[in-house]
Amino acid sequence: MNPKPEAPSSLGVDAFKTDNRLVPDIKGKTEPINALGPIPTDNISGDKSKNKNKIPAVSLVLGPGLNRVRCYIPILKFLEKEEVKIHIISGSGMGAIMASMYALGITPDKMEWLFHKFSRKVRKLKPYRKEWLKLVDEIFLKKLKGKKIQNGNRRLILSLYNAEKGKLVYLSRGDLYWTLKHHMKLIPQGKKSIYMAPFHKEIYNQMEMKRLGADIVAGLDVLTHSVEFSRVDHFLLGTYGKASAIAKKELEALDIFENINKKSPDLDSFEGMPEYLQGCASFGVAFAKRLKSHILTWKKE
């Protein structure tokens, strides 16, 4: 038996003890070895005390929220309108899919079209059931098939939960399609896969963003205002209820965040979505201006 490698640029981080890191063991053909590449040790930017004129590296994390994550689209549009550059982006669940699309240069307008197509086909389906997952794959994930996490226009960081070791791993390299497929898993698949969605353990990963060089960590949330489903599903209610509690705790630690508390559609519903998106646009204007102001203040410090 080969000893476990000791690598300073390891991937794993204990969800409860941030100084405990290990390289995850990957066995079998179902989990390609290149899916979990090493995280670079270099920082995006240096110490601001050494360069007062440098632009701060901004990280944006998109929280989970099933159908509600569509709210992030008008917010991304307003960030672009205000010329707020996002250097690092991350997300959980459907938020990870949106973060990945944005990192790889898919425009908010294109994302809006994909979500509109998804909403028309998925209306009567329960989240995470076979047909629902098939549509997620066909409409979103296959657009990213063959892409690598490291090949985007922005630096993309995605985490997964290793259910066997009870730890989170952070990925900045590797197979994007494989990684996002595991963001759609709420329970481990036995021997087939020990990896699953991270949002029942952590969502806004501020410490990891800072470690990777982010000077400002911002977050968007569509979950903590309410956790409601139009179709009774106790497992999903419990899963997202726990994620909501984690999000509430972690949001307060971020440099800046927006909690979209506009009356929201149920997590599995599209009823009232047009009105919801109009409200999201107003949140987007406020968030973009606050983040831009925060960046200017940071530069003056």
Side-chain angles (χ1 to χ4, degrees):
M1 180 180 295
N2 295 327
K4 292 180 180 178
E6 295 181 4
S9 59
S10 59
L11 304 174
V13 59
D14 192 310
F16 305 101
K17 186 178 179 183
T18 57
D19 61 350
N20 185 6
R21 298 175 181 272
L22 68 139
V23 176
D25 296 324
I26 305 174
K27 302 176 181 179
K29 295 182 179 179
T30 57
E31 296 181 5
I33 191 68
N34 68 343
L36 300 177
I39 285 180
T41 56
D42 59 304
N43 282 346
I44 292 175
S45 57
D47 186 346
K48 72 173 180 176
S49 64
K50 296 179 182 179
N51 183 1
K52 294 182 180 179
N53 296 319
K54 86 176 186 72
I55 298 172
V58 179
S59 171
L60 178 64
V61 185
L62 308 180
L66 289 174
N67 297 344
R68 289 183 196 165
V69 302
R70 195 169 171 180
C71 184
Y72 300 147
I73 295 173
I75 297 177
L76 291 173
K77 288 182 180 180
F78 280 107
L79 287 173
E80 292 186 347
K81 185 176 180 180
E82 290 291 327
E83 298 183 336
V84 177
K85 185 174 181 180
I86 303 299
H87 302 89
I88 311 173
I89 192 162
S90 184
S92 294
M94 292 295 287
I97 293 175
M98 184 168 287
S100 299
M101 290 193 293
Y102 195 60
L104 267 74
I106 296 177
T107 65
D109 286 335
K110 176 68 172 180
M111 282 190 268
E112 177 59 44
W113 182 83
L114 291 173
F115 271 92
H116 177 68
K117 181 179 179 181
F118 181 69
S119 67
R120 286 190 290 109
K121 294 190 174 186
V122 80
R123 287 183 181 276
K124 297 181 180 181
L125 301 178
K126 285 189 175 183
Y128 297 99
R129 300 295 175 88
K130 183 177 179 180
E131 290 303 315
W132 184 89
L133 289 169
K134 183 179 179 181
L135 283 173
V136 170
D137 190 71
E138 289 178 354
I139 294 174
F140 298 113
L141 301 190
K142 286 185 178 177
K143 294 282 187 297
L144 304 171
K145 201 165 187 177
K147 307 293 185 182
K148 300 293 183 183
I149 295 172
Q150 67 269 29
N151 292 153
N153 301 329
R154 298 169 178 83
R155 192 172 187 184
L156 175 64
I157 306 296
L158 296 174
S159 59
L160 287 175
Y161 180 64
N162 182 324
E164 184 176 81
K165 297 183 181 297
K167 298 181 184 293
L168 291 166
V169 294
Y170 298 94
L171 314 178
S172 64
R173 301 180 63 82
D175 189 318
L176 180 56
Y177 179 77
W178 181 92
T179 303
L180 292 176
K181 288 278 282 187
H182 284 75
H183 264 265
M184 295 295 103
K185 297 181 185 296
L186 298 185
I187 57 175
Q189 305 296 311
K191 293 182 179 180
K192 291 184 178 181
S193 178
I194 58 175
Y195 294 101
M196 56 189 287
F199 58 75
H200 70 298
K201 288 293 183 183
E202 182 184 72
I203 295 172
Y204 291 101
N205 46 35
Q206 186 207 36
M207 293 185 68
E208 190 67 14
M209 295 297 102
K210 294 283 189 179
R211 189 184 78 81
L212 291 170
D215 298 301
I216 297 171
V217 182
L220 293 174
D221 164 68
V222 291
L223 188 63
T224 62
H225 175 59
S226 67
V227 178
E228 298 173 349
F229 289 87
S230 61
R231 305 171 186 86
V232 177
D233 190 314
H234 296 296
F235 174 72
L236 288 181
L237 189 61
T239 298
Y240 278 88
K242 184 176 181 180
S244 176
I246 291 171
K248 286 178 182 178
K249 182 178 179 181
E250 293 181 349
L251 280 169
E252 297 295 336
L254 300 181
D255 297 302
I256 182 171
F257 67 90
E258 188 68 62
N259 179 305
I260 292 87
N261 56 19
K262 169 84 175 172
K263 180 173 174 55
S264 309
D266 294 338
L267 289 165
D268 60 340
S269 173
F270 291 94
E271 295 298 323
M273 185 62 72
E275 296 79 10
Y276 176 60
L277 292 175
Q278 288 179 1
C280 292
S282 64
F283 277 100
V285 173
F287 178 74
K289 290 183 176 180
R290 286 198 297 118
L291 182 52
K292 188 173 185 177
S293 176
H294 193 88
I295 292 169
L296 292 173
T297 301
W298 187 95
K299 291 176 69 175
K300 293 177 181 178
E301 290 178 351

